Amino acid sequence: MRRLLPALLAVVALAGCSASEEPSAAPSPTPSRAGAASPAACPAPATTELTWPAAVPADLPKPPGASSAEVESRTDGLTVVTFTTPISIRESVLFLIDAMPKAGYTLARGDAENTEADAPFVKGDLRGVMRMIAVQECRTDWLMAVARATVGGAPGGGTPLLPPRPNASPLPFG
């Protein structure tokens, strides 16, 4: 029996390491200290003089510390602006949730993950989307695309990349 017990334990240990059809539960995280529960705050961003291109309304809120803007004006009426901010992705999302409605913009249903978030928005005939990508804990890269719902006074000049009118059904059959 003494020789059988170590062999049985080795078989059980090997079986626990081999692949099985049922997923095993992940180990539970070690409880953290009360002070470490929230992420570290990023340093206050420096004030910048980033100005939006002419196709972007001046009243569209600029994230704190926005810099390094690059602009692409496409022939289909879409303007794409990329820039970076020295704030976390969480702070970026919270900024948009607070600032956009205050400036008269309606936020549509977006998507958020740990390292990326999308925030579609509408104001009048302007439609747009902000995509935020976490690069570092205190650095977020942004891609903003905006277009007018009309081009030259004719409806339908928008792009499928931007959200529909706020009262449109998000369902394809709705």
Side-chain angles (χ1 to χ4, degrees):
M1 182 70 174
R2 291 193 134 170
R3 288 185 217 176
L4 186 58
L5 186 58
L8 184 59
L9 288 175
V11 169
V12 169
L14 286 175
C17 294
S18 67
S20 64
E21 291 187 23
E22 290 187 34
S24 61
S28 60
T30 310
S32 61
R33 298 182 313 259
S38 62
C42 296
T47 305
T48 60
E49 293 299 319
L50 178 69
T51 56
W52 294 133
V56 178
D59 69 344
L60 183 73
K62 293 178 194 82
S67 63
S68 304
E70 292 181 24
V71 180
E72 177 189 353
S73 297
R74 298 182 19 176
T75 57
D76 62 357
L78 185 69
T79 300
V80 179
V81 182
T82 56
F83 56 95
T84 187
T85 57
I87 59 177
S88 70
I89 187 115
R90 180 180 184 278
E91 290 171 296
S92 299
V93 170
L94 292 174
F95 166 78
L96 288 180
I97 291 171
D98 180 57
M100 295 294 275
K102 287 179 181 176
Y105 291 84
T106 301
L107 288 170
R109 182 176 296 170
D111 177 48
E113 298 167 17
N114 286 339
T115 59
E116 184 178 304
D118 296 319
F121 60 89
V122 180
K123 182 177 183 182
D125 68 344
L126 182 81
R127 295 190 180 124
V129 64
M130 297 264 197
R131 171 168 283 173
M132 298 149 284
I133 303 164
V135 178
Q136 297 172 347
E137 186 175 341
C138 292
R139 179 175 167 213
T140 302
D141 284 350
W142 297 62
L143 181 141
M144 175 181 63
V146 296
R148 297 283 175 187
T150 59
V151 173
T159 172
L161 298 175
L162 300 178
R165 296 180 323 276
N167 59 354
S169 171
L171 303 175
F173 50 86

